[in-house]
């Protein structure tokens, strides 16, 4: 049973959000990072319209019979196919309002990222930062760039993620630390991660040219992207070897030959090693807080960020940062939180694997727990969820057919799509002002667009519920 204080953080997740402009502008895609404070204009801006309505603590709870009457017929839509799994909970009480195959795992696609966000917030906390370091190599002029698992690092000011650590700033620190020693060679240390660099169940085309994900390495820039711009439509090409590309960019910034970049292991520093002695630290940069990285991961559904965040769960547990240990660590952390980790079968942290399975009940229980106040560190999950008709992967959803539009600005959720799979899980506010959490998962769909429209209709109908 979820605590009665559920609305304390749930309200924070959905209240007082207005629409001053597109969220992707806030996230500074490409080089659109603000460089100065806004300047007042002579003409006052119009009042923005609310995006998410408020939640009343005394709003009536929909009845099970009412919810069933509202959405059960919609779940028979041809677009959803023959395998539809659904869970709807009242967020404040934890009372199940509708269940259909709710405890049976379904292919989750990117709704897996809800588990990733929750477990890394529980394991590391929202303020944790990832560190990229450089130490002196074993020979004069040799430097070792050590991957710390930060996928958001930029080469320079034109990065994908605002506030990211930057290689040009790290290079400046290293040059200063080297003094008169000329950098001659860059070695990249990627030993933080172990095992395969792609997960079981990933199609080969996901790396290139589709560009949905890169090889999972602990050293990269802009989540492995060749151009630091998030492409919402079409391919998003990534480097074939992101760590090597980062090492070459770093060598160029140092003035060292890019052709001499090699892989290796940082030398262990001798006791009291300073200056340019082998293993002595020459500089370091840190990522933004994890909660900010999770916002980007959820808004953009960035698969590389998700895999990097999952590995932090494994590392925090003292495990190796491999796909297998990451999956096991995430499930163990779900169990630690009192959730049914046995209702998740994970092969990755992004949801790209066709072998993944998560039950709708696990997703809604997770969302209710995050909103409940007993684990305040988990409340950071809600800030990154896309808003229907406004931001992220929901910006173009709840548009057609016309009845779906009622969900715009009222639904906040994570979507998931693979071939034959369409899913959505998040929160919404009913017509009476009651906060519900939901998961709708269809994993045998005939086509993508009809499945998405059908799921939107089910969720939109819940927002209309005065039942």
């Amino acid at each position: 049973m979820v605590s009665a204080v559920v609305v304390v953080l749930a309200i924070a997740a959905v209240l007082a959000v207005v629409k001053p402009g597109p969220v992707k502008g806030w996230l500074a895609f490409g080089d659109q990072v603000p460089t100065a404070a806004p300047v007042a204009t002579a003409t006052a801006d119009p009042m923005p319209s609310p995006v998410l309505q408020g939640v009343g603590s005394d709003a009536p709870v929909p009845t099970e019979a009412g919810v069933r009457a509202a959405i059960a017929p919609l779940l028979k839509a041809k677009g959803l196919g023959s395998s539809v799994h659904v869970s709807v909970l009242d967020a404040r009480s934890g009372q199940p309002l509708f269940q259909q195959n709710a405890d049976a795992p379904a292919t989750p696609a990117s709704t897996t990222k809800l588990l990733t966000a929750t477990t890394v917030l529980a394991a590391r906390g929202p303020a944790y930062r990832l560190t990229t370091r450089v130490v002196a190599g074993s020979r004069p002029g040799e430097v070792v760039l050590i991957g710390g698992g930060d996928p958001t690092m930029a080469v320079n000011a034109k990065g994908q993620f605002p506030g990211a650590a930057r290689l040009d700033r790290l290079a400046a620190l290293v040059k200063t630390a080297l003094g008169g020693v000329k950098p001659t060679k860059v070695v990249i240390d990627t030993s933080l991660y172990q095992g395969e660099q792609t997960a079981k169940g990933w199609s080969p085309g996901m790396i290139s040219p589709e560009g949905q994900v890169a090889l999972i390495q602990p050293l990269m820039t802009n989540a492995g992207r060749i151009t630091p711009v998030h492409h919402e439509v079409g391919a998003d090409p990534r480097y074939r070897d992101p760590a090597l590309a980062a090492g070459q960019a770093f060598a160029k910034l140092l003035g060292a030959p890019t052709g001499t970049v090699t892989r290796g292991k940082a030398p262990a520093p001798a006791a009291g090693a300073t200056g340019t002695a082998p293993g002595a630290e020459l500089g370091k940069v840190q990522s933004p807080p994890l909660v900010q990285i999770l916002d980007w991961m959820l808004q953009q559904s960035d698969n590389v960020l998700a895999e990097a965040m999952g590995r932090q769960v494994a590392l925090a547990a003292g495990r190796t940062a491999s796909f297998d240990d990451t999956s096991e660590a995430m499930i163990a952390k779900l169990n630690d939180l009192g959730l049914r980790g046995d209702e998740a079968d994970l092969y990755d942290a992004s949801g790209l694997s066709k072998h993944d399975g998560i039950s709708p009940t696990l997703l809604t229980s997770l969302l209710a727990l995050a909103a409940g106040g007993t684990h305040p560190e988990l409340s950071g999950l809600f800030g990154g969820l896309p808003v229907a008709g406004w931001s992220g992967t929901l910006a173009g959803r709840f548009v057609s057919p016309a009845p779906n539009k009622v969900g715009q600005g009222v639904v906040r959720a994570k979507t998931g799509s693979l071939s034959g799979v369409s899913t959505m899980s998040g929160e919404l506010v009913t017509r009476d002002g009651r906060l519900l959490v939901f998961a709708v998962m269809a994993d045998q769909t005939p086509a993508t667009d009809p499945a998405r429209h059908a799921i939107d209709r089910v969720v939109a109908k819940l927002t209309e519920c005065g039942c």
Side-chain angles (χ1 to χ4, degrees), residues 5-17 53-57 371 427 435:
V5 297
V6 66
V7 293
V8 174
L9 289 177
I11 289 174
V14 299
L15 193 59
V17 181
Q53 63 191 62
V55 179
S57 60
E427 62 182 7
L435 183 71

Side-chain angles (χ1 to χ4, degrees), residues 112-177:
T112 303
K113 295 179 175 72
L114 293 173
L115 272 63
T116 305
T118 299
T119 53
V120 75
L121 285 169
R124 289 297 200 194
Y128 191 83
R129 296 173 185 262
L130 306 171
T131 302
T132 303
R133 301 170 54 238
V134 176
V135 301
S138 56
R139 297 180 179 83
E142 182 179 275
V143 299
V144 184
L145 177 61
I146 304 173
D150 177 9
T152 67
M153 189 163 53
V155 175
N156 49 38
K158 295 183 178 181
Q160 167 69 25
F161 306 101
R166 288 166 46 176
L167 282 180
D168 57 349
R169 290 175 175 170
L170 183 57
L173 293 173
V174 171
K175 287 180 181 179
T176 299

Side-chain angles (χ1 to χ4, degrees), residues 87-89 359-369 425-426 437-439:
S87 174
V88 181
L89 298 184
S359 74
T361 296
L362 176 56
L363 289 171
T364 52
S365 298
L366 177 154
L367 289 164
L369 178 67
S425 182
V437 291
F438 67 90

Side-chain angles (χ1 to χ4, degrees), residues 334-374:
L334 292 171
N335 290 329
D336 290 346
L337 291 168
L339 298 167
R340 292 290 303 271
D342 61 335
E343 293 190 358
D345 186 14
L346 302 178
Y347 288 79
D348 61 16
S350 61
L352 283 178
S353 176
K354 61 184 180 182
H355 301 316
D356 289 335
I358 300 173
S359 74
T361 296
L362 176 56
L363 289 171
T364 52
S365 298
L366 177 154
L367 289 164
L369 178 67
T374 57

Side-chain angles (χ1 to χ4, degrees), residues 39-67:
V39 179
T41 58
T43 303
D45 291 333
M47 283 297 294
S49 58
V51 171
L52 294 175
Q53 63 191 62
V55 179
S57 60
D58 58 350
V61 183
T63 65
E64 292 182 45
V67 173

Side-chain angles (χ1 to χ4, degrees), residues 372-441:
T374 57
H375 290 273
E377 71 279 9
L378 303 184
S379 66
L381 168 71
F382 294 104
L385 290 181
V387 179
W390 186 34
S391 64
T393 55
L394 284 184
R397 299 282 292 268
F398 293 86
V399 174
S400 64
N404 292 353
K405 291 183 178 180
V406 69
Q408 292 185 2
V410 184
V411 177
R412 190 160 205 163
K414 183 72 197 76
T415 59
S417 294
L418 290 172
S419 178
V421 177
S422 190
T423 60
M424 185 187 297
S425 182
E427 62 182 7
L428 60 86
V429 181
T430 69
R431 184 179 67 190
D432 291 336
R434 193 76 181 187
L435 183 71
L436 307 183
V437 291
F438 67 90
V440 183
M441 311 174 76

